[in-house]
Amino acid sequence: MKVAISVIFGILTALVLVIGGYLGFVTIRESKGLLREVDSLQTRVNSLKSEVAGRAERLQEEATIAAELDSLRSALQASEEGIEERFTNRGRPTSKAVISDSQKVEGIYPFKLKVDGAASAVDSFLIELQKQVPLVRFEKLEGVRKGRNLRLEATGSVRFPR
Amino acid sequence: MIRIDLAVPRRRERLTTWHYLVIWVCVFLFVVVGAGIGLVFQGRRLESIEQENASLRATSDSLKTQKTAVAHYESIEAQYRELLGKIEDASRYNERYLEVMRLLDAKLGPRMKLVSFQIEADSATAMVLAPSNLEVRRYVDALLGSAMFELITSEPQGSREGLIQHRLLLRVR
């Protein structure tokens, strides 16, 4: 009887030890894997924190800068759509422009502009043109003075971004 | 004769089956409880590591989102700066032309006339009428004093309206 009890409980205890040992081993192995993952995540988080640090505050400006960019783009688009009108002035000084849209796809408009009027008015017209078409670039200005008047011929191009 | 046996009867100390069973049950329970406690502790440790892992994963995801937002912001800012830069660059470029045009007019001496001019990116040609060569010299000196020009040539080209006509070729700085 005693032998039977010893055998039965011996086997049961051994089973408990084997199962417990196996579960413990599995759990430890899983813990080690998770700890490695935690380490790599910690490294990644630290690197991301250093990348984002100092820039996160600037994100608040994003809406403002995006709005400014939109407004600038709209202004340029409007300037491109009404380019002919912006180059011509029916008042004083008078201006006539020949604008080629041969490179319209690339957003480049070569122009030849003739302005005739008082020298100061021509100057003001060119300043205003610069405001109206901010991407205008002169290549050559040729002027002939007639008393106080100036007859100016300007060549250049307007380059809109694409 | 009376014989008295003073010896105390001793029980033989032998483990009974019941004792045996109780000892084995105790050993079994001890092992079961020990293994159970060990596994519970191990399980809790695993759980805590899993929680830490999940929390780090959430932080990492949030930082990744922030990084994407920062990259988006930087791209918008770069586009804005580029566009603004182009506009400012064009404005500065044109302002040079206008400044040259104004200076050619503003620096004229008394009785001098600007007949015509031609301004390009790095040079300017002016045709002027002056009462004397000295006036032309003063005009040229005044232009050079603006630090915007370098004189390349100054050629008299006959006379017109009783004044000497000069052709000035200037390099624009």
Side-chain angles (χ1 to χ4, degrees):
Chain A
M1 189 64 180
K2 284 177 189 170
V3 173
I5 288 171
S6 294
V7 169
I8 290 166
F9 275 95
I11 289 170
L12 282 175
T13 311
L15 265 174
V16 169
L17 283 172
V18 167
I19 292 169
Y22 173 74
L23 288 176
F25 172 74
V26 168
T27 321
I28 286 169
R29 202 173 56 179
E30 204 172 325
S31 305
K32 279 186 178 168
L34 274 171
L35 278 172
R36 270 197 297 273
E37 209 173 313
V38 163
D39 279 348
S40 90
L41 272 170
Q42 190 68 61
T43 315
R44 202 188 313 164
V45 163
N46 288 342
S47 130
L48 281 168
K49 271 184 183 165
S50 69
E51 279 178 54
V52 172
R55 298 183 194 169
E57 302 89 65
R58 294 168 64 198
L59 288 177
Q60 291 164 354
E61 297 169 20
E62 183 171 354
T64 319
I65 214 153
E68 281 178 25
L69 180 63
D70 280 349
S71 120
L72 208 55
R73 279 182 176 153
S74 314
L76 289 176
Q77 197 180 342
S79 163
E80 185 171 359
E81 281 163 8
I83 193 163
E84 291 276 354
E85 294 85 64
R86 286 162 204 264
F87 268 83
T88 48
N89 183 5
R90 292 183 192 283
R92 283 266 166 204
T94 55
S95 71
K96 286 179 188 168
V98 180
I99 301 164
S100 157
D101 59 1
S102 56
Q103 292 153 283
K104 196 176 176 179
V105 181
E106 287 91 29
I108 303 169
Y109 296 81
F111 68 85
K112 194 162 215 166
L113 171 70
K114 284 180 182 172
V115 195
D116 198 347
S120 57
V122 172
D123 191 77
S124 305
F125 173 81
L126 293 179
I127 291 169
E128 190 55 30
L129 179 69
Q130 170 75 39
K131 283 183 194 159
Q132 296 277 317
V133 191
L135 292 166
V136 69
R137 275 176 92 101
F138 300 127
E139 279 156 25
K140 194 198 274 184
L141 295 184
E142 288 176 279
V144 178
R145 288 295 297 264
K146 298 273 181 194
R148 287 187 173 188
N149 273 21
L150 173 65
R151 188 174 294 163
L152 186 82
E153 196 169 300
T155 50
S157 60
V158 190
R159 291 166 183 266
F160 292 98
R162 285 286 189 264
Chain B
M1 184 177 164
I2 300 164
R3 288 179 70 187
I4 300 165
D5 188 2
L6 292 173
V8 179
R10 280 188 186 172
R11 285 175 58 198
R12 275 193 71 188
E13 289 183 6
R14 282 193 67 196
L15 290 172
T16 61
T17 308
W18 278 111
H19 285 140
Y20 225 76
L21 189 65
V22 168
I23 288 167
W24 267 113
V25 167
C26 284
V27 167
F28 179 72
L29 285 178
F30 178 77
V31 170
V32 168
V33 169
I37 289 170
L39 285 174
V40 165
F41 273 113
Q42 195 65 32
R44 284 196 179 161
R45 189 164 170 256
L46 192 66
E47 206 176 305
S48 119
I49 296 171
E50 270 172 354
Q51 274 172 3
E52 193 184 349
N53 199 339
S55 135
L56 278 169
R57 211 176 278 277
T59 312
S60 166
D61 288 347
S62 139
L63 284 167
K64 269 184 199 163
T65 315
Q66 265 190 52
K67 192 184 164 188
T68 314
V70 166
H72 183 244
Y73 167 77
E74 283 176 348
S75 139
I76 286 181
E77 195 194 20
Q79 287 173 43
Y80 178 67
R81 300 264 169 252
E82 190 191 343
L83 208 51
L84 217 55
K86 278 182 183 171
I87 291 170
E88 281 169 3
D89 188 41
S91 171
R92 266 197 304 274
Y93 184 81
N94 294 338
E95 189 50 43
R96 280 180 75 229
Y97 280 82
L98 300 183
E99 190 58 28
V100 168
M101 194 170 78
R102 288 174 200 139
L103 282 171
L104 290 177
D105 211 30
K107 300 294 181 187
L108 288 170
R111 292 189 60 215
M112 277 188 79
K113 282 181 186 172
L114 178 65
V115 179
S116 64
F117 59 83
Q118 182 177 313
I119 305 164
E120 288 181 71
D122 55 0
S123 67
T125 312
M127 201 69 86
V128 291
L129 295 175
S132 66
N133 286 336
L134 184 66
E135 282 297 321
V136 176
R137 187 69 248 170
R138 281 183 185 152
Y139 176 61
V140 169
D141 286 345
L143 286 176
L144 299 186
S146 69
M148 205 167 176
F149 301 100
E150 273 175 46
L151 180 68
I152 300 173
T153 54
S154 166
E155 297 165 353
Q157 297 204 323
S159 61
R160 195 170 133 185
E161 299 171 24
L163 299 165
I164 306 166
Q165 183 167 305
H166 265 265
R167 183 179 175 273
L168 301 174
L169 180 58
L170 301 150
R171 176 173 293 120
V172 181
R173 284 180 188 156

